[in-house]
Amino acid sequence: MYRQFKDRGLEVVAVNLQEPKSKVDGWLKKHPVTFRIVMDPDSAASRAYRITATPTVYIVGRDGKLVGSVIGERPWTSPKGQVLLEALLAQ
């Protein structure tokens, strides 16, 4: 979805919780991605955002305000997921 919508303003930031960088680097060799990945080795981000499960997705509008959040996997590439992203990016 990032590749499809990045030119329209979609940003994706993945936060890795507690895993060592070497493990993340190994995963990225097998699963290359084009969005940003940041490390949270001391769980500061997970505490600040009260992450209790992964994945947790926060949707932030262009104005920086929280639009919504989702815990667990969602079919972002499905037709409904694409319609949602289209609507959010049109705002």
Side-chain angles (χ1 to χ4, degrees):
M1 296 310 303
Y2 175 68
R3 285 189 299 266
Q4 181 177 344
F5 291 109
K6 68 180 181 176
D7 292 336
R8 296 193 36 218
L10 179 67
E11 292 289 338
V12 173
V13 178
V15 179
N16 180 274
L17 307 175
Q18 298 181 329
E19 292 178 318
K21 187 173 182 330
S22 60
K23 186 172 183 178
V24 174
D25 289 343
W27 185 88
L28 287 171
K29 285 182 182 177
K30 294 178 184 175
H31 308 92
V33 297
T34 55
F35 52 83
R36 284 185 284 170
I37 297 178
V38 297
M39 304 297 290
D40 185 27
D42 60 359
S43 299
S46 63
R47 283 191 305 277
Y49 289 92
R50 298 182 180 144
I51 305 296
T52 59
T54 58
T56 297
V57 175
Y58 289 98
I59 302 171
V60 179
R62 293 181 192 272
D63 59 1
K65 293 182 182 177
L66 182 66
V67 173
S69 63
V70 178
I71 296 174
E73 294 185 25
R74 294 294 188 272
W76 299 107
T77 58
S78 72
K80 285 184 180 181
Q82 289 187 16
V83 167
L84 172 63
L85 289 173
E86 290 276 356
L88 290 169
L89 291 169
Q91 295 180 3

